[in-house]
Amino acid sequence: MIYLTKMQIRCLLSTKESYNSKVMNTIEQVSFKTKGYQIVNITDAIQEFVNRHNFVKGLVNLSILHTSASLTVQENASNDVLSDIKTFLSGLAPEYANYLHDIEGPDDMPAHLKTLLTNTNLTISVASSKLILGVWQGIYLCEWRKFGQSRSIIVHLLGE
Amino acid sequence: MIYLTKMQIRCLLSTKESYNSKVMNTIEQVSFKTKGYQIVNITDAIQEFVNRHNFVKGLVNLSILHTSASLTVQENASNDVLSDIKTFLSGLAPEYANYLHDIEGPDDMPAHLKTLLTNTNLTISVASSKLILGVWQGIYLCEWRKFGQSRSIIVHLLGE
Amino acid sequence: MIYLTKMQIRCLLSTKESYNSKVMNTIEQVSFKTKGYQIVNITDAIQEFVNRHNFVKGLVNLSILHTSASLTVQENASNDVLSDIKTFLSGLAPEYANYLHDIEGPDDMPAHLKTLLTNTNLTISVASSKLILGVWQGIYLCEWRKFGQSRSIIVHLLGE
């Protein structure tokens, strides 16, 4: 995936208003196999989905179907940023903090809280068949449980 | 409301791409009477709204019109999770923390901060006339003030 | 911009369902010059954008193209609320907290964390050519870096 520079985005966005009579309204489920405590860049996978459907312009709505994993748009250049995010959220929502809900393991309630503080859905615009993200932005799937698993995301294209 | 299992979602999502010439674009205001410090599951109410409009496929955009109440998608199975969320956010944003803004009562500024950390809008996909949520997910309205009141949510259906 | 009272919103939303064959799908980039550590109300600018395109009803999707600045919907009446938000988030994510990522200055990693806790995109509904917000709500651009700069937001109109 080619990230857009500021100049390129301006160029893409010089397209005229469109009033189309055909609306693409396509929904699919995409699954990702995660590792424990992983924040993984899924931008390329979402861009491939856009490409495969020849989606040119509109909204991509992403919904994660879990309550102990989440979505965020974050820095794509430095793995240290991702490590700092994990340390930060584990500091805010530590394990063994006298939670009432502890039957699913010490990492479960912290995972719900980290999900609360981030996102279960993101709505990204597409122009000229490309996800519109800043140069330093990527779309991330956050696995907040200790062990990896299969995580499902709904990808919904609404536009043209 | 029947929550979808993973297999059922896959089945729903096997629908073909659609290019429709008629777009439903419907907006209504729905009000809820809350109790103080309550996190209440409003999934059924939103699903009923989808049913009433015969909305089959598209986006449901929810916007709460307040700054001391918010929206989130969270665990629907355990009330302990909701209690832990309240305890957690009250720990992060406690009352009487030397806020500059204190004229509306000690629970007001914490309520703005809890709103900041959660969501004022959610965008959920609908397929085959059902809100697409994971098995353990529900849509919640969070009342962060000490006393309950009437809270308004805009429900916007865009699709078909 | 005229903020809507509760009664006025009810009136706006009494419009009938619409099934239109022409969909507006317009995307533009808007830039704002910020000052350091500033939370700035951009509601009027977004409303002007809606007016300029004669956008009547649909979704406005806002995406900020940065990872150290963010978007939120918050209280529009009291500057003290905005100050308290800055103090609160600086307390949660302070400078010099032994971050691994520190090469871009002590305010950079805190800025990523504040962005993580708030939003990179917002989806707001429009009816009768007006952004639907509560009486006390405004749309805010948050500059989390120490020095101001030019910040770009994608404004995407999907509807009619």
Side-chain angles (χ1 to χ4, degrees):
Chain A
M1 140 132 224
I2 300 153
Y3 286 95
L4 311 172
T5 66
K6 220 178 256 188
M7 279 311 295
Q8 285 173 317
I9 288 171
R10 282 211 191 91
C11 181
L12 285 178
L13 301 184
S14 64
T15 51
K16 292 279 175 195
E17 288 184 13
S18 50
Y19 294 88
N20 285 279
S21 56
K22 281 186 169 186
V23 171
M24 190 193 284
N25 187 10
T26 295
I27 304 177
E28 276 190 27
Q29 180 171 318
V30 181
S31 290
F32 296 88
K33 185 84 193 70
T34 61
K35 293 174 188 168
Y37 300 134
Q38 185 187 30
I39 300 181
V40 57
N41 192 330
I42 61 168
T43 316
D44 287 2
I46 307 303
Q47 179 63 54
E48 275 169 34
F49 187 90
V50 167
N51 297 345
R52 179 154 53 84
H53 287 278
N54 297 315
F55 188 60
V56 176
K57 190 173 170 188
L59 295 177
V60 179
N61 192 53
L62 303 177
S63 303
I64 193 163
L65 299 183
H66 309 277
T67 59
S68 56
S70 64
L71 300 170
T72 194
V73 170
Q74 264 290 338
E75 241 251 4
N76 60 23
S78 162
N79 284 327
D80 283 350
V81 170
L82 305 181
S83 297
D84 283 334
I85 285 172
K86 287 193 273 185
T87 304
F88 171 71
L89 288 178
S90 295
L92 284 188
E95 298 191 2
Y96 301 105
N98 292 319
Y99 301 115
L100 296 175
H101 179 75
D102 61 5
I103 52 170
E104 295 175 59
D107 58 323
D108 187 60
M109 193 59 222
H112 294 315
L113 296 176
K114 291 167 185 178
T115 297
L116 181 78
L117 297 178
T118 52
N119 303 286
T120 56
N121 91 267
L122 294 172
T123 310
I124 314 278
S125 295
V126 165
S128 299
S129 306
K130 300 226 177 301
L131 292 165
I132 307 182
L133 292 168
V135 186
W136 304 108
Q137 286 183 317
I139 303 169
Y140 286 86
L141 163 55
C142 309
E143 173 61 73
W144 300 122
R145 295 301 304 268
K146 191 176 194 166
F147 298 107
Q149 48 200 295
S150 178
R151 297 300 199 172
S152 297
I153 294 175
I154 297 296
V155 187
H156 186 165
L157 309 179
L158 188 66
E160 56 193 272
Chain B
M1 144 132 222
I2 299 152
Y3 287 95
L4 311 171
T5 67
K6 220 178 258 189
M7 279 310 294
Q8 286 173 316
I9 289 172
R10 283 211 189 90
C11 181
L12 286 178
L13 303 184
S14 64
T15 50
K16 292 279 174 197
E17 286 184 13
S18 49
Y19 295 88
N20 285 279
S21 55
K22 283 188 170 186
V23 172
M24 191 194 285
N25 187 11
T26 294
I27 303 178
E28 277 190 28
Q29 180 171 319
V30 181
S31 291
F32 295 88
K33 184 85 194 68
T34 61
K35 294 174 188 167
Y37 300 134
Q38 185 187 29
I39 300 181
V40 57
N41 192 329
I42 61 167
T43 317
D44 287 2
I46 307 302
Q47 179 64 54
E48 274 169 36
F49 186 90
V50 167
N51 297 345
R52 180 156 51 85
H53 286 278
N54 297 314
F55 188 59
V56 177
K57 191 174 170 187
L59 295 176
V60 179
N61 193 54
L62 303 176
S63 304
I64 192 162
L65 299 183
H66 308 276
T67 58
S68 56
S70 64
L71 299 170
T72 192
V73 170
Q74 264 290 339
E75 242 251 3
N76 59 25
S78 162
N79 284 327
D80 283 350
V81 170
L82 305 181
S83 297
D84 283 334
I85 285 172
K86 287 192 274 185
T87 304
F88 171 71
L89 288 178
S90 295
L92 284 187
E95 299 191 1
Y96 302 104
N98 291 319
Y99 302 115
L100 297 176
H101 178 76
D102 60 5
I103 52 168
E104 295 177 57
D107 57 322
D108 186 60
M109 192 61 221
H112 294 314
L113 297 176
K114 292 167 184 177
T115 297
L116 180 79
L117 297 177
T118 52
N119 303 286
T120 55
N121 91 268
L122 294 172
T123 310
I124 313 278
S125 295
V126 164
S128 300
S129 307
K130 300 226 177 299
L131 292 165
I132 306 182
L133 292 168
V135 186
W136 305 109
Q137 287 184 317
I139 304 170
Y140 286 86
L141 162 55
C142 308
E143 173 59 73
W144 300 122
R145 295 302 305 269
K146 192 176 193 166
F147 298 107
Q149 48 200 295
S150 178
R151 297 300 199 172
S152 297
I153 294 175
I154 297 296
V155 187
H156 186 165
L157 309 178
L158 189 66
E160 58 193 270
Chain C
M1 141 136 219
I2 299 152
Y3 287 95
L4 311 172
T5 67
K6 219 177 258 187
M7 279 310 294
Q8 285 173 318
I9 289 171
R10 281 210 191 93
C11 180
L12 286 178
L13 302 183
S14 65
T15 51
K16 291 281 173 195
E17 288 184 11
S18 49
Y19 293 87
N20 285 280
S21 55
K22 284 188 168 184
V23 171
M24 190 193 284
N25 187 10
T26 295
I27 303 177
E28 277 189 27
Q29 181 171 317
V30 181
S31 291
F32 295 87
K33 185 87 194 66
T34 61
K35 294 174 187 167
Y37 300 134
Q38 184 187 31
I39 301 181
V40 56
N41 192 329
I42 60 168
T43 316
D44 287 2
I46 307 302
Q47 180 63 53
E48 275 170 34
F49 187 90
V50 167
N51 297 345
R52 180 155 51 86
H53 287 279
N54 295 316
F55 188 59
V56 176
K57 192 174 168 187
L59 295 176
V60 179
N61 193 54
L62 304 177
S63 303
I64 193 163
L65 299 182
H66 308 277
T67 60
S68 55
S70 64
L71 299 170
T72 192
V73 170
Q74 264 291 338
E75 242 252 3
N76 59 24
S78 162
N79 284 326
D80 283 350
V81 169
L82 306 180
S83 297
D84 283 334
I85 285 172
K86 287 193 273 186
T87 304
F88 171 71
L89 289 177
S90 294
L92 285 186
E95 299 191 2
Y96 302 104
N98 291 319
Y99 301 115
L100 296 176
H101 178 76
D102 60 6
I103 51 168
E104 295 176 58
D107 58 323
D108 186 60
M109 193 60 221
H112 294 316
L113 297 176
K114 292 167 186 177
T115 297
L116 180 78
L117 297 178
T118 53
N119 303 286
T120 55
N121 91 268
L122 295 172
T123 310
I124 314 277
S125 295
V126 165
S128 300
S129 305
K130 301 226 176 301
L131 292 165
I132 306 180
L133 292 168
V135 186
W136 305 108
Q137 288 184 315
I139 304 170
Y140 286 86
L141 162 56
C142 309
E143 172 60 72
W144 300 122
R145 295 301 305 268
K146 192 177 193 166
F147 297 107
Q149 49 200 294
S150 178
R151 297 300 200 173
S152 297
I153 294 176
I154 296 297
V155 186
H156 185 164
L157 309 179
L158 189 66
E160 58 192 271

